[in-house]
Amino acid sequence: MVKKPAGNQMWGGRFSARPDAIMEAINASIGYDKKLYAQDIEGSKAHAAMLADQGIITKSDAKKIMQGLDTISSEIGEGTFEFSTALEDIHMNVEARLKDLIGEPAGRLHTARSRNDQVATDFRLWVKAQALHVHAILGELIDVFVDLAEKHADTVMPGFTHLQTAQPVTFGHHMMAYVEMFARDRSRAADAVERMNECPLGAAALAGTGFAIDRKATAKALGFREPTRNSLDSVSDRDFALDYLSLAAICAGHLSRLAEELVIWSTPQFSFVRLTDQFSTGSSIMPQKRNPDAAELIRAKTGRINGDLIALLTVMKGLPLAYSKDMQEDKEAVFDAADNLELAILAMTGMMKGITVNAASMAKAAGSGFSIATDLADWLVRETNLPFREAHHVTGAAVAMAEKKGCGLEELSLDDLQGLHPSITKEVFSVLSVEKSVASRKSFGGTAPANVRRQVKYWRSRRAKEK
């Protein structure tokens, strides 16, 4: 009889002494990978069923394994399962408990698999589900923006470049810009799912197995499109996790840009929007304050999510094939990013559902900073046949004159304008207003209210098909 060492019983007879306490601490991942318990049990049940179907283990043993795994699932779900750091990870914790419950048949479960393909499968299942979840909740966020765009198709506001007033746009058009961003995020989630929809189970440690397993059966049972094609890549690939972190970082960046705008827009100096009490906080000393803390925290969480991406990129950058223990560091970054991205999306959805738009403040600001200057230049090109560069020069002179007089372009007299260029007629005043400016931007993708309504119709139809 081979004597087993104290401590971890799953390593077999190679070791004669238990790990040092520090080694046990650095080696253990159960503190966070217990999050994968449902996927681990699902994968083990699919593996056991396949082993039985292939005649590698008996139907009787498979039945006992299934029953034991169901019991463990209930124990973990109910909070009565005792996790052990000495058993390192979720896989060994489940297997040890299974042995306590059903005895010898538990030892047959690990036939034709390794922790390497086991964890790769569990983690893929989890990341795939999370990507699908992000895809779904981004759809709900898009619906909120489409509603806002429809409601505010005619609400004018300043459009900015360099955070300086550029040209008038509509708030509806601004909201539809975020629809485009979040739709791209959804497409990235869908693309990531398509790429990760291959099952590593059966790749074993790195070289496959000599047992007559059916990898297509386990892939199908676990909801994957097909099994992975190379055993070395199967156990060493974490592209699926990087795909998720990449889309999370890009999506968080979009959320952060909007959060920054909400912070600015909700200031008394702008007074473009008001956030609800549910998504604002006060001050412990200044009773008048309404702080946009939810938006600020969304903006900050982008830093965490970006850091998670960089962390895993750095872990993976120098690893030779196949599996290395470094990859144990893959999960915490993904779990952290997933938790924070979900929270940020849900918080943004809540904020935007309840947002109040101050149309009067937006309209007042829309005409500031000579925002209709381009309309004057365009009129000169259309009506007087001036080259655009010359029209640009004339318009610049008109802006300088209006600035000196302390008035808007539309408030300059015809004599003032004709002094800059004699071909200007009184018809020029027909384009010198914020409302006429936005209405004229009818090119595909432009800010004209009619365009916004067409885009709203398009997105309502697209979303109806997606649902």
Side-chain angles (χ1 to χ4, degrees), residues 236 238 312 314-328:
S236 61
R238 292 299 182 269
L312 187 53
T314 306
V315 166
M316 297 301 298
K317 72 175 180 61
L319 299 187
L321 296 179
Y323 181 83
S324 296
K325 192 70 169 181
D326 309 51
M327 282 189 263
Q328 183 167 289

Side-chain angles (χ1 to χ4, degrees), residues 289-350:
K289 292 293 294 297
R290 285 178 58 85
N291 298 325
D293 281 11
E296 291 171 0
L297 288 166
I298 289 171
R299 189 174 58 186
K301 286 184 181 298
T302 304
R304 284 184 66 166
I305 294 169
N306 289 349
D308 291 329
L309 171 59
I310 296 300
L312 187 53
L313 284 169
T314 306
V315 166
M316 297 301 298
K317 72 175 180 61
L319 299 187
L321 296 179
Y323 181 83
S324 296
K325 192 70 169 181
D326 309 51
M327 282 189 263
Q328 183 167 289
E329 295 295 319
D330 57 1
K331 297 169 198 65
E332 285 185 285
V334 175
F335 293 160
D336 180 72
D339 288 346
N340 284 287
L341 180 63
E342 178 183 24
L343 190 56
I345 293 171
L346 295 178
M348 186 61 77
T349 302

Side-chain angles (χ1 to χ4, degrees), residues 138 141 145 174 178 181-182 185 247-265 292 294-306 340-341 344-345 347-348 351:
L138 279 174
L141 181 59
F145 279 88
H174 201 107
Y178 283 101
M181 292 185 212
F182 295 130
D185 293 329
L247 74 88
I250 295 170
C251 181
H254 292 154
L255 290 165
S256 183
R257 294 181 74 178
L258 176 57
E260 171 71 2
E261 292 190 316
L262 292 175
V263 170
I264 294 171
W265 292 348
E296 291 171 0
L297 288 166
I298 289 171
R299 189 174 58 186
K301 286 184 181 298
T302 304
R304 284 184 66 166
I305 294 169
N306 289 349
N340 284 287
L341 180 63
I345 293 171
M348 186 61 77
M351 276 194 295

Side-chain angles (χ1 to χ4, degrees), residues 353-423:
K353 275 184 177 179
I355 198 170
T356 299
V357 175
N358 188 340
S361 289
M362 285 188 174
K364 182 178 179 181
S368 67
F370 308 105
S371 65
I372 57 175
T374 308
D375 297 276
L376 173 56
D378 288 348
W379 184 89
L380 287 166
V381 171
R382 281 195 311 270
E383 303 300 328
T384 71
N385 202 31
L386 282 181
F388 182 79
R389 284 301 167 202
E390 187 175 346
H392 186 285
H393 179 77
V394 172
T395 302
V399 168
M401 179 184 289
E403 191 171 42
K404 187 175 181 179
K405 286 176 174 285
C407 68
L409 285 174
E410 71 281 4
E411 295 173 303
L412 291 174
S413 69
L414 182 58
D415 287 342
D416 288 334
L417 292 171
Q418 287 179 335
L420 297 172
H421 200 281
S423 64

